[in-house]
Amino acid sequence: MFQAIYSFDHHKAYASQIARLFGFTGKVPHGRLNLQIGRLAKRIAKKHDIQLSQRKNLTYRYWDLFFDGWEEGRFWVWQLKPALVQAIKAASLSGEVAIPEELPTEHFSQLSEGIKRTVTVNSYERNPQAREICVNQWGLKCSVSDFDFEERYAQLGRGFIHVHHLVPISKIGKSYQVDPVNDLRPVCPNCHAMIHRGSDAFTIEELKEIIYYNKDAIKTAANKRKHDAPTFDKD
């Protein structure tokens, strides 16, 4: 759960959003997470003699041990406390996997804008839980080209694939709830880069169409070259 929240921008997300990443549904999908948070907070508070914060009615805010929390409309936001963020980093438990589109831009000041424009990889695509649910549903083959990394690279490619978010980032509002099955698709890095190549991201269907017609154009050109090639007598 901490890894999931960590992967979002500024290490914050809606409680219901995190719950849905773990497959919980219903009107209050984060109810089960609240129970887990309560159990964990009680154990830590008892072991380390920590006084949990209380509400006016004297009930405890168990989540307050781990998160800063506040309401945004009808949603409740959890944000990892800075000390917990640092602890997750120090313990190498962030779940982060560096991929070419996520190269740290602070070391490339002159090129940073170009790097950022190549592919925008948002928090849903980086999120390990969202990725796992997407891959379990759709498999590890590229949704555009059918490329399979394990098939091509054997053990080295096993389990490798990018995931692409179908909803444009510009259309994601504050109340947006990601659905890893319906909103994410596995794509290879080449196709992922090409999807984001235009000023507006291409859809998977549009990119498939480009590939289809390009193959047809290549075949036509090859046949024309073969037809126009000069012939020579054996003598």
Side-chain angles (χ1 to χ4, degrees):
M1 180 175 61
F2 294 154
Q3 283 182 337
I5 298 174
Y6 180 96
S7 72
F8 281 79
D9 293 334
H10 306 296
H11 313 301
K12 67 178 181 179
Y14 296 124
S16 56
Q17 206 165 36
I18 298 303
R20 292 181 192 283
L21 288 177
F22 285 94
F24 300 146
T25 57
K27 291 184 178 179
V28 188
H30 52 287
R32 291 175 63 181
L33 293 185
N34 282 330
L35 292 175
Q36 293 291 353
I37 289 169
R39 294 190 187 102
L40 182 58
K42 288 176 186 177
R43 289 170 57 191
I44 292 175
K46 181 177 180 181
K47 181 177 178 63
H48 297 283
D49 195 23
I50 297 172
Q51 182 61 46
L52 296 168
S53 63
Q54 290 182 299
R55 301 180 181 88
K56 290 182 180 180
N57 62 4
L58 300 182
T59 60
Y60 292 109
R61 295 189 184 93
Y62 296 111
W63 54 263
D64 189 52
L65 189 62
F66 314 111
F67 315 121
D68 293 319
W70 63 90
E71 285 184 328
E72 282 188 3
R74 62 190 182 90
F75 297 101
W76 184 260
V77 179
W78 282 332
Q79 183 174 37
L80 292 179
K81 288 185 177 291
L84 185 53
V85 170
Q86 294 303 316
I88 289 172
K89 288 181 180 178
S92 299
L93 293 174
S94 67
E96 290 181 317
V97 177
I99 58 178
E101 288 75 13
E102 296 178 283
L103 286 172
T105 58
E106 63 269 20
H107 301 304
F108 303 95
S109 57
Q110 294 180 343
L111 299 176
S112 60
E113 288 305 312
I115 292 174
K116 289 177 183 178
R117 281 198 298 267
T118 301
V119 171
T120 302
V121 180
N122 64 34
S123 59
Y124 304 125
E125 296 171 11
R126 294 193 306 266
N127 187 285
Q129 279 74 30
R131 182 186 185 282
E132 182 178 358
I133 294 171
C134 169
V135 167
N136 285 343
Q137 173 67 27
W138 301 107
L140 289 161
K141 284 189 176 182
C142 176
S143 297
V144 179
S145 65
D146 284 332
F147 187 87
D148 187 316
F149 281 90
E150 184 176 359
E151 187 178 285
R152 178 62 61 89
Y153 298 107
Q155 179 65 29
L156 179 64
R158 179 170 295 176
F160 183 82
I161 197 70
H162 284 196
V163 295
H164 167 61
H165 196 266
L166 300 176
V167 181
I169 294 175
S170 60
K171 294 184 180 179
I172 296 177
K174 285 187 175 182
S175 61
Y176 179 74
Q177 300 278 335
V178 65
D179 181 337
V181 172
N182 293 315
D183 296 343
L184 302 179
R185 290 293 186 279
V187 293
C188 69
N190 281 354
C191 289
H192 203 183
M194 292 300 101
I195 283 172
H196 292 276
R197 180 73 171 170
S199 56
D200 293 322
F202 291 103
T203 65
I204 286 176
E205 290 71 25
E206 286 171 337
L207 196 60
K208 280 184 174 181
E209 192 171 310
I210 289 171
I211 293 173
Y212 174 81
Y213 284 110
N214 185 55
K215 283 181 178 178
D216 191 53
I218 291 172
K219 184 178 180 180
T220 300
N223 288 336
K224 185 177 185 301
R225 283 196 299 269
K226 183 178 179 181
H227 181 268
D228 294 343
T231 58
F232 301 95
D233 294 332
K234 291 182 179 180
D235 294 338

